[in-house]
Amino acid sequence: MRVTCACLALLASLLSACEEERPPPTFRVTFTASSDSDPLAGVRVVGDGRPLGETGADGILRVDLPGREGQAVTVNAQCPEGHRAPAELPLLTLRSFRGLDPAAAERGIEMSIQCPPSERTAAVVVRTGDQGDLPVMMADREVARTDASGVAHFVLRMQPHSTFRLRIDTTGREDLQPQNPGATLTVPDRDDILLVDQPFQVKQTRRRRRPRRRDPEPATPMLPMRID
């Protein structure tokens, strides 16, 4: 009887040890990184301070995270050069996936990561009516000049929400009003076209009237002179 009890106690101890050594369950997680709407490779993903890997050419990283049901994981992302990291990602809650779709089961828990470009492209178009050959100045430097139809355009890359000022140089065109007009523009957080419409009024210059030509006075007839 004592031997039987000892065997049962040993068996219970072994079963308990096996349960303690059993690895925790894993949860399939799919991270999808993009820049605007394009897949982005090279995004490093960190979960609770532990590197999980980086996205491939398709912008996807699949991992199996160990943990317990309902556990919350803090996720951070490091975007490649030329892109901005997201300010904050939501907590990832580990949940067992239940569904009949094998593809959805393969994806498991899904999280999207947005890494927008650090600079945006702005195409600037300046229209001045029909006034051609007017320089468009930016930071005291000519960046474009209006053509015969009064249109100038150029392209620049700047950080989103940056502001810059343009000036249309009317030096030498005193007949145009207003003189040297300017415009302040802001680059949006997307590639866009920025339009400046600046009409001009042309002052009519008065012609100077020529002085009226006077008719020559009639010559006084010379009287014959007698010389003795």
Side-chain angles (χ1 to χ4, degrees):
M1 184 66 178
R2 290 181 180 179
V3 174
T4 303
C5 291
C7 291
L8 291 176
L10 178 60
L11 179 61
S13 176
L14 292 175
L15 290 175
S16 177
C18 290
E19 289 182 358
E20 290 178 358
E21 294 176 0
R22 181 182 301 172
T26 59
F27 301 83
R28 170 58 59 94
V29 183
T30 298
F31 298 97
T32 303
S34 60
S35 178
D36 292 341
S37 58
D38 299 323
L40 185 61
V43 178
R44 298 178 181 178
V45 183
V46 178
D48 282 342
R50 182 169 62 91
L52 302 180
E54 64 179 48
T55 58
D58 56 359
I60 293 176
L61 169 66
R62 290 189 175 93
V63 297
D64 293 320
L65 287 182
R68 63 182 184 278
E69 186 80 19
Q71 178 181 342
V73 178
T74 301
V75 177
N76 295 307
Q78 300 172 359
C79 299
E81 184 178 357
H83 296 81
R84 291 171 286 153
E88 186 177 1
L89 291 173
L91 286 175
L92 177 66
T93 303
L94 301 181
R95 298 288 186 189
S96 299
F97 185 85
R98 298 178 180 86
L100 300 178
D101 185 359
E106 175 65 20
R107 293 191 301 270
I109 307 167
E110 297 184 76
M111 174 175 282
S112 62
I113 301 172
Q114 291 290 334
C115 294
S118 55
E119 289 185 340
R120 290 298 188 177
T121 300
V124 184
V125 179
V126 179
R127 299 191 300 195
T128 60
D130 57 355
Q131 302 301 322
D133 200 30
L134 294 178
V136 178
M137 312 294 292
M138 178 178 172
D140 295 327
R141 181 175 64 90
E142 181 177 329
V143 292
R145 183 177 288 258
T146 58
D147 58 18
S149 63
V151 177
H153 55 84
F154 63 97
V155 177
L156 55 79
R157 286 185 62 82
M158 298 182 70
Q159 292 183 355
H161 312 300
S162 298
T163 60
F164 62 97
R165 185 166 179 78
L166 297 179
R167 178 175 58 86
I168 302 174
D169 189 359
T170 59
T171 303
R173 291 293 305 274
E174 296 180 359
D175 59 324
L176 295 181
Q177 291 293 333
Q179 283 282 298
N180 299 314
T184 300
L185 304 177
T186 301
V187 178
D189 197 0
R190 64 181 182 278
D191 296 341
D192 206 352
I193 298 175
L194 306 180
L195 177 63
V196 176
D197 243 328
Q198 177 60 61
F200 285 96
Q201 293 182 348
V202 182
K203 290 193 303 183
Q204 298 294 332
T205 57
R206 294 183 179 181
R207 292 184 178 180
R208 293 184 178 180
R209 297 181 61 183
R210 293 183 179 179
R212 185 176 180 182
R213 185 175 181 181
R214 296 181 180 180
D215 295 333
E217 296 181 357
T220 303
M222 296 183 65
L223 298 176
M225 298 179 64
R226 181 178 178 181
I227 301 176
D228 292 337

